[in-house]
Amino acid sequence: MADVRPKDQPFQIRSKPTKIRIINPKTGEDLQLPSSTKAAVPAASSDHVQAASSKSMLSKWEAKPSHARVKRSAPPSAELKVAITDAKLPPLAGHNESLGSNTEHDSTSKSSKGAIRETPQKEEKEKIRKSRPQNHPKDPLKKIVCDESQRRPDVYAHSYVPEAFIAVNASPAILLSSSPVQAIDFVHYTSTFASPMLLPPLASPQAPTFDGVSPVCSVENLDIDNYDQHLSDCLVLDLEAQVPEIRTYDMFGVQLSVVDRAQEIYSLNVPGLRENTPRVAFGDNIMIRQLVMDPVTKLPLAAPATGSTGYQISAVVVAINRPNEILNLRINGCTPHLLICNVSFIVQTRWIKSLQRAVTSMASQLKASYKHDSSSISEIETPEDSASSPEHDFGPIGTPIRTPPIRSRQDYFGSTTAPMKSPSVPRGDFFGAIASPSHGAPGDVLDTPIKYTNQAWLRRMLFPSESDGVIQRSLPQGVFKRSWFDRHLNHEQKRAVDAILAKAYGNIPFIINGPPGTGKTKTTVETVTQMAFDPSVEGAILLCAPSDSAADTMALRLRGHFEPKVMFRLNDFSRTFAEVPQELLPYCYVQDDIFNLPPLPELMACKVVIATCCTTELLVQARVTNKDLTTLENTMSDMLNPQLATKRQAARRNHLHWMALLVDEAAQATEPEILIPLSVVAPPTACSSEPNPVFVMAGDQHQLGPRIYNDSTTLGISLFERLSKRSLYASHPLARRNYLRTIPHAQMVRPPFVNLMRNYRSHPSILAIPSALFYANTLIPEAKDIDHLVPWSGWRGRGWPILFACNGGVDDCEDIKIVGGGWYNIREARKAIFYAKDLLESQYIEKQQDICIMSPFRAQVNILRQMARKAGLWGLNIGPMDAFQGLESIFVILCTTRVRKRFLEEDAVKGAGIVNEPKKFNVAITRAKQGLIVLGNPWVLEQDPHWSAFMAFCWRNGLWQVDTAGLDDRMIEANEKPVDDWKAKEQEQTNIAGLERALIYRERQLAEHGSKAVRRFMHETSEDEVWRLGRLAEEALQEYGE
């Protein structure tokens, strides 16, 4: 292995001149390499130079302590950096102090004086360790084994790629373009109903620039003046972070397969395509470099053109087969006999331009609305105003007023003999009478609707203040005088629909706050159906969601109420037919073998249009927004009657086409994404229109938010979450955090929101911790038939269907050949498969599809799938945790995977794992319906207060399973504590509240009085008979009509 070259000959990697640098990883300083060491450094090759994420990296490092890690600089590399960690190499002569070694007691250092070589294997290391004094204070090997701070490899380093492949991508090349796919011709589409002289050209978005961008954006300083700059900076910073991340999916030396040589169509296998890693859509561009390979070394030739043809081809995706992870590419100019190539993924700028256009357009209209909205200049909420106090309500102009003291339930509900006064607002009128602080006395109910000007509309949608709300002077009666399409709506859902239809809350956004399993989508679907069949709503309804799957879900639920000519599912032309459910194809429009826009008369006749937030950009480019349609109408009218143009402009009233925008799962969309559909429905500021559009958002800010690439910006804070934190919503007496703390009264702002509280998904024990941590103990379990798994023998303690199983196994970095990235835990995977198999064999679950196994690391997902297939469990639903947002399963097994604390810091930087990720924690826990098992290391998970509360809940109720296999040897070497020694802290052992207390009380009642004493979930009380009769009356109304 020794290098026999002369000392003056430079160290080389495949004929590339390089230099050797020895780096101390603790200080980052260069160390002078002794001459004896230079002569012993082996020539770098694919067999000796390995990346940090190579096969079983950690296990290999620990088995071969002298293995060196090679850090490759940006290609083409001019020097080779060899990072030597204290725990991996013997000390070099003359550098013992810098490497933290002691040559007086290190026999291996003396024998290898300055030579980089492999040390003995694990058995030999144990023999050397036992031959030394065990309690020697300066035992260097003991320090290496025990001092975990000295062992910090870069576990997130990229997989090793030979320099010959990287040099090909770094070399100059001639760019060749391939023929693009068929797309929508918006110029031709617009010309079918308007000439260029009637509509001004659509503003082109500015190209993003990285100059003058703030390093960190703060949402606290967001206001109307800096709105454009703030969001633009966030988009640029996110784009900048997206570039290096998407390059991690680049592939080197992969094989192309011929599909159609005449049309130059080739297929490419892309690992991870099934799970959208990387994100690839129809029509995207992918860079291809064909390689000229050396038949002997199987590497690109070094000459004449660094192993390539000298061309870089921009291939076009023409077909996607996600189940088999295959892309079909059109590669014009491809050399047929050179089918081995490098593949580079690039950022697709199409949607970036759409987002930038929406931000610029809305920001300019926002400033115009601010200038015209003179009545609210001094009333717009400042960041200081949003600091709320739960014990205060707000008066007509936003000033805090003291809540009237109410001491009893009779004071709150009023006299039981005196009926409440019926409200005078007609519930059947969509734009019913509303009151505004600027019209009449506070709380007066007017006989005619208030006419809001268009100039203030956008400001109220993006920066609503308390003065924009409506003051009520009487409590609502709680009776809804309308017919329901869905007769299974609960009270909160009906209240949300009724409030939106009556519009008595003012001209501000209405928020439906729905925790998991409470029926957000169900409420949204009922709202759309009621609007569509309300004769007072003459315009169209735009229904959006962040993803195609969420939009399809709403379309499937609505198709039973609408014919294809009335409801339209708008798809982007890049979506394939196979991705659309068969039932929805009649509601789509196809032209030239792609999804397209129907002719304008057909589009205008549609009452409901469903699309993703980004896909509504098609409506913007087709010039069918409220602003463009109004401009077209007014321009045509002025051209036909020029004599009346001046008079008509002074008193012009336009009827808008888009009258409502509803966004489901709004907390998962970035603010710029919601600005796109908002620009479609926004009324023009140049004229007035009656009435103004309605804006409704449904979501949950405590679940997974938007997917972004730069966590240092506020792009991850959705518009839904930002508005929910404003005092108009957060400080209201009926806000979720004020539930049962403040008593609502007549003189308060009508709530522009509804909090859904009834959960129809999960067992009460599964809801206990999420309800306490995120929803102020407001969740009410209403799910039925959820005790089927309770008799299973795997449960512990009180027998509730929830279990924390300790895992003492070690986490390893994945093999370079495994798809994805991240970590895996073999023992944890075996436990998960064991629990799934045992549950199926017990026949409490018959279908394998009803069992879900999830992990935050994709490598663990791959290991789980391999083990499940070997066990014959092909039907198990195994996937990454992020993929289960919005889904549910009867039984969930959550693999946390991470078991060593020292990697938590790197996880936080990369946004990996599930520790200190409260939204991921909430999503993972609330997917289960009837049973939940969590596998993890309690000492690691307790670093997160949310996980600490969950484990304390399991520990104090006996829902705990120890690891009989004990702690893994490498966990002992890493100084990790035994998992079975963990106990909940004293203050957590008695911190019982909410559903947990109710479960314990119910358990006692069942033990003392039997099942007949527990008619309700909580317990039998004197009010239960009244409650039961009320439920019967409500069911009778639903059954026979009102």
Side-chain angles (χ1 to χ4, degrees), residues 92-143:
L92 300 179
H95 298 282
N96 302 319
E97 183 177 356
S98 61
L99 289 178
S101 300
N102 192 327
T103 56
E104 293 182 6
H105 305 281
D106 195 340
S107 58
T108 58
S109 297
K110 292 181 181 180
S111 62
S112 60
K113 192 126 179 169
I116 302 178
R117 64 177 184 84
E118 291 189 355
T119 59
Q121 297 296 324
K122 186 175 181 180
E123 295 80 5
E124 188 176 352
K125 185 181 73 173
E126 287 294 324
K127 182 178 179 181
I128 296 174
R129 185 183 66 81
K130 293 179 180 179
S131 65
R132 294 198 179 109
Q134 296 298 315
N135 298 324
H136 200 289
K138 295 184 179 181
D139 187 0
L141 189 57
K142 183 176 181 180
K143 178 178 181 180

Side-chain angles (χ1 to χ4, degrees), residues 789-860:
L789 301 182
V790 172
W792 182 51
S793 60
W795 305 122
R796 296 293 182 267
R798 296 185 180 274
W800 300 341
I802 188 170
L803 180 70
F804 183 88
C806 298
N807 175 35
V810 69
D811 47 0
D812 286 311
C813 185
E814 71 166 351
D815 189 289
I816 189 175
K817 298 179 182 179
I818 297 179
V819 179
W823 293 75
Y824 65 90
N825 191 309
I826 296 296
R827 186 187 296 186
E828 180 186 68
R830 289 172 179 167
K831 285 176 176 287
I833 299 300
F834 167 79
Y835 282 122
K837 192 172 183 180
D838 185 73
L839 197 63
L840 289 169
E841 291 177 350
S842 65
Q843 297 184 353
Y844 288 110
I845 291 183
E846 299 180 357
K847 299 180 180 179
Q848 296 183 15
Q849 294 83 354
D850 293 334
I851 299 179
C852 160
I853 306 179
M854 64 176 73
S855 173
F857 294 99
R858 295 187 181 273
Q860 180 72 347

Side-chain angles (χ1 to χ4, degrees), residues 490 492-493 512-523 699-700 703 736 755-761 767 775 778-780 888:
N490 60 40
E492 290 82 16
Q493 293 169 338
I512 302 174
N513 191 303
T518 55
K520 297 183 294 294
T521 303
K522 186 176 185 178
T523 308
D700 180 15
Q703 296 190 64
R736 192 180 295 273
N755 295 319
L756 303 182
M757 299 181 181
R758 304 174 192 272
N759 181 280
Y760 297 93
R761 174 186 298 170
L767 291 178
Y775 307 108
T778 59
L779 294 187
I780 303 173
E888 59 186 28

